[in-house]
Amino acid sequence: MTRSEKTQIVAKLEEGFKASEAIVVCNYKGLSTKKLEELRNNARENNVKVQIIKNTLARIALENSDKKGLELKDTNIYLWGEDQLSVSKVAAKFEEDNELFQIKTAIIEGEVSDVTKVKALAKMPSRNELLAMLLQVWNAPITNFVIGLNALKNKKESE
């Protein structure tokens, strides 16, 4: 890889890292290409970027995007995106399904985080799920009122 190619990669990564709320670093050693393709497909559906990057290039891109503090060792695959919940969910779900895949560390909202925070975020409901729950709570009294009126109407008709 030439120096100009490396600078292009770093610039592209820096742009992506600056826009992201969460960056998760994982170990993928031993995974087959088919499994990695499953991860990429799942990530694409959730607007999460996935890339295997050399540690030196990733370190430079992270430092240039003001996201410092990660210790990068061995083979790493990086997941990042604008929504920290979707990034965490993609990483945690894939880790559950594949024992060779391990979450190492993360940067969430500019701070270095550990595996437990990533897994805790993965368990939280998404924005759409929260809105659906709120709508159910708002609709429950109206639904119960209508059911009561209908039962009253049926009772009056039967008398």
Side-chain angles (χ1 to χ4, degrees), residues 24 30 32 42 52 64 71-72 84 87 92 99 109 125 140 155:
V24 179
S32 66
N42 189 16
I52 298 170
N64 290 346
E71 291 184 26
L72 305 174
Q84 60 190 353
V87 174
E99 58 189 42
E109 294 180 344
K155 182 180 177 186

Side-chain angles (χ1 to χ4, degrees), residues 26 48 58 60 80:
C26 305
V48 175
I60 293 167
W80 71 92

Side-chain angles (χ1 to χ4, degrees), residues 7 28 36-37 42 58 68 73 76 92 97 99 109-110 121 127 141 148-149:
T7 25
Y28 71 97
L36 287 174
E37 199 58 38
N42 189 16
K68 300 174 183 173
K73 297 177 184 173
N76 295 319
D97 297 342
E99 58 189 42
E109 294 180 344
L121 281 172
R127 182 180 186 277
L149 285 177

